[in-house]
Amino acid sequence: MTARMTNPATVLPQATKAIPHLFGAMDQGGLSASLREILALRVSQINGCAACVHAHAKNLMAEEESDDRITTVAVWRESPFFTEPERAALNLAEYATRLADSRGHAVPDPVWDEAADNFDEKELSAIILLIATTNFFNRINVTIQEPAGTTW
């Protein structure tokens, strides 16, 4: 399978200049690499982004995450392998990704409150930026049909 076109971030190089700054800001939030990758994997699964699912699963393997955790991210609610803070972050990631599915508040107060009980403002900021940035990449990759295993 080949992509429909060259990745827009490559075609329009100015687009790539902001990306390192976003990731640098996320690094300031103090989240573990594993949590960042777990959240990015879940968002990418929801959005059906093969390239990102593949990349984040590989990154989790490189972080030496267990197969149990990697293979059950999609069913984290039914999995015993995630901590309460991770569950709160995954729940927030799902609601913030599925905005069009919401009625009323896209992120309900109980979901927000649970996340805020488990993370401080810097950590929450990093989580929100991570969710938004992952959604950004997913939407590009799904639109152009970027295949799994692509390296830029």
Side-chain angles (χ1 to χ4, degrees):
M1 182 170 161
T2 58
R4 288 176 167 158
M5 64 175 281
T6 305
N7 192 294
T10 304
V11 174
L12 305 172
Q14 286 286 85
T16 60
K17 289 186 177 183
I19 294 166
H21 297 289
L22 283 170
F23 284 111
M26 285 180 241
D27 288 344
Q28 293 176 336
L31 300 176
S32 70
S34 290
L35 179 56
R36 291 191 313 257
E37 292 297 334
I38 286 168
L39 295 174
L41 175 57
R42 183 63 191 125
V43 169
S44 299
Q45 289 170 337
I46 292 166
N47 289 324
C49 181
C52 293
V53 166
H54 181 259
H56 295 299
K58 282 187 72 164
N59 291 346
L60 282 164
M61 290 177 213
E63 289 293 321
E64 299 184 359
E65 272 296 341
S66 71
D67 290 344
D68 290 333
R69 284 170 54 85
I70 296 169
T71 59
T72 62
V73 168
V75 292
W76 63 269
R77 284 182 178 82
E78 292 79 26
S79 171
F81 306 116
F82 300 96
T83 66
E84 288 308 310
E86 289 169 336
R87 290 174 183 284
L90 283 161
N91 205 23
L92 178 61
E94 288 191 0
Y95 275 94
T97 297
R98 292 184 165 132
L99 298 175
D101 296 341
S102 67
R103 292 201 167 100
H105 294 295
V107 177
D109 289 339
V111 171
W112 176 260
D113 293 343
E114 181 184 19
D117 287 345
N118 283 281
F119 298 98
D120 64 27
E121 195 167 57
K122 278 182 124 175
E123 293 166 326
L124 280 171
S125 296
I127 290 169
I128 293 164
L129 285 175
L130 175 83
I131 295 164
T133 304
T134 303
N135 277 291
F136 167 78
F137 284 117
N138 291 168
R139 280 151 177 76
I140 292 170
N141 291 335
V142 169
T143 301
I144 67 168
Q145 296 181 347
E146 191 77 68
T150 300
T151 56
W152 298 278

